[in-house]
């Protein structure tokens, strides 16, 4: 039978272990996208973090008319564009060329004959220039967009125009995230675009150890001026690679915190 002193020591060690295992995972994407990302993390990783949802970007559909007269196909590079297009009742009888499985699945669910033609915008451009579908094409996107997809395709002989169908409104950190930022618990923050990374760097004020993951070199550029423990850049700008980066950061942060059990 264990003595009272032994029970006390055991409880103390268990308590210390729980404290060591506590990390915050700060998700700054819109809530639905953040929840989807977290749900796809390995169960073991999810058990090691407490998720704080603090969207610093809000998607707002634009009240615009989308003219598809003469258009032979649509380009979607985000699920946000698909949802905005659906709310604007854009014609469903056009083929849709999409980036990534989430965008493609969203487009199919909304009624388009959608085809995934790459995991990134670069892969989409390469596919379309090689496959040469009927044109002109129409790229429906957000007000802020990178990659110059329509311009590059048009310059290469595949006529494409573009139209913003939603806006990305910047938001401050939530009160929960602000409190965590001022504490001592390590925070892992994945950033998914150059614009949100710039905004995050501008609004971040805190003393908590910060572990950052950037989905691209361009996203990382705004983060170098921050006071962080580690910054990891994904090898490719995909959700899969970002999940891998977060997984590695969790493991490294746990080691720093003294818990080797995650290896």
């Amino acid at each position: 039978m264990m003595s009272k002193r032994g029970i006390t020591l055991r409880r103390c060690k268990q308590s210390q272990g729980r404290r060591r295992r506590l990390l915050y995972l700060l998700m700054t994407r819109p809530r639905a996208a953040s929840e989807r990302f977290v749900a796809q993390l390995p169960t073991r990783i999810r058990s090691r973090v407490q998720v704080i949802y603090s969207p610093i970007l809000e998607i707002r559909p634009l009240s615009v008319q989308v003219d598809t007269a003469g258009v032979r196909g649509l380009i979607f590079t985000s699920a946000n564009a698909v949802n905005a297009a659906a709310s604007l009742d854009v014609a469903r009888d056009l083929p849709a060329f999409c980036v990534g499985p989430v965008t493609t699945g969203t487009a199919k669910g909304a009624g388009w004959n959608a085809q995934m033609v790459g995991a990134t915008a670069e892969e989409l451009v390469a596919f379309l220039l090689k496959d040469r579908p009927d044109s002109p094409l129409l790229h429906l996107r957000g007000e802020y967009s990178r990659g110059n997809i329509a311009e590059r395709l048009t310059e290469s002989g595949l006529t494409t125009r573009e139209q913003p169908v939603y806006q990305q409104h910047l938001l401050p950190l939530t009160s929960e995230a602000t409190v965590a930022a001022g504490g001592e618990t390590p925070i892992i923050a994945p950033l998914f675009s150059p614009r949100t990374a710039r905004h995050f760097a501008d609004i971040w004020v805190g003393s908590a150890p910060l572990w950052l993951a950037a989905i691209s070199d361009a996203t990382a550029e705004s983060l170098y001026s921050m006071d962080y423990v580690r910054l990891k850049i994904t090898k490719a700008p995909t959700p899969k690679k970002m999940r891998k980066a977060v997984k590695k950061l969790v493991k490294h942060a746990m080691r720093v915190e003294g818990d080797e059990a995650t290896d």
Side-chain angles (χ1 to χ4, degrees):
M1 183 174 179
M2 185 176 294
S3 66
K4 289 184 179 180
R5 182 172 180 273
I7 292 174
T8 301
L9 287 173
R10 182 178 179 181
R11 287 176 177 173
C12 181
K13 289 180 179 180
Q14 289 174 340
S15 177
Q16 289 174 347
R18 284 193 295 270
R19 285 198 297 271
R20 285 198 299 268
R21 285 195 294 271
L22 178 60
L23 302 171
Y24 287 129
L25 175 61
L26 178 60
M27 297 302 303
T28 58
R29 303 182 83 187
R31 184 65 182 244
S34 289
E35 290 180 345
R36 186 165 57 243
F37 181 84
V38 171
Q40 293 174 343
L41 288 170
T43 302
R44 187 173 182 82
I45 297 301
R46 293 202 307 271
S47 70
R48 299 299 194 189
V49 300
Q50 179 178 329
V51 182
I52 296 176
Y53 293 102
S54 178
I56 59 175
L57 191 71
E58 181 182 34
I59 303 301
R60 297 178 179 176
L62 292 169
S63 297
V64 295
Q65 292 289 115
V66 178
D67 182 9
T68 57
V71 172
R72 306 300 297 274
L74 303 174
I75 295 174
F76 290 123
T77 48
S78 75
N80 293 323
V82 175
N83 292 328
S87 70
L88 295 169
D89 201 25
V90 175
R92 304 298 205 278
D93 58 350
L94 294 170
F97 304 99
C98 304
V99 169
V102 173
T103 302
T104 307
T106 304
K108 287 181 178 179
W112 276 283
N113 178 19
Q115 176 185 4
M116 177 176 162
V117 296
T120 65
E122 291 298 321
E123 291 180 2
L124 175 137
V125 169
F127 174 90
L128 293 177
L129 290 180
K130 181 179 179 180
D131 192 65
R132 295 282 170 175
D134 292 337
S135 63
L137 303 175
L138 175 61
H139 180 201
L140 299 177
R141 60 170 181 80
E143 283 187 327
Y144 295 92
S145 180
R146 292 174 59 87
N148 300 318
I149 290 174
E151 180 181 348
R152 291 163 61 193
L153 291 174
T154 300
E155 288 178 349
S156 297
L158 190 62
T159 303
T160 305
R161 61 184 178 87
E162 60 184 352
Q163 181 174 351
V165 290
Y166 67 92
Q167 62 180 184
Q168 303 106 312
H169 181 68
L170 297 175
L171 300 172
L173 290 171
T174 63
S175 57
E176 182 184 9
T178 301
V179 170
E184 299 180 355
T185 301
I187 296 176
I188 295 172
L191 283 307
F192 291 82
S193 74
R195 188 165 183 250
T196 52
R198 287 194 299 273
H199 183 51
F200 183 76
D202 288 340
I203 64 176
W204 177 263
V205 178
S207 56
L210 195 57
W211 299 69
L212 301 172
I215 201 167
S216 65
D217 290 326
T219 301
E221 287 178 5
S222 299
L223 305 175
Y224 290 127
S225 61
M226 300 185 70
D227 183 14
Y228 55 82
V229 179
R230 184 165 184 169
L231 168 60
K232 185 167 184 59
I233 304 172
T234 62
K235 294 183 178 180
T238 65
K240 181 178 179 180
K241 293 296 185 182
M242 187 60 118
R243 289 193 296 271
K244 187 174 182 179
V246 168
K247 179 181 176 180
K248 289 185 176 181
L249 286 180
V250 169
K251 288 189 174 184
H252 288 312
M254 297 304 291
R255 290 195 190 100
V256 170
E257 289 298 297
D259 187 349
E260 300 290 342
T262 57
D263 292 337

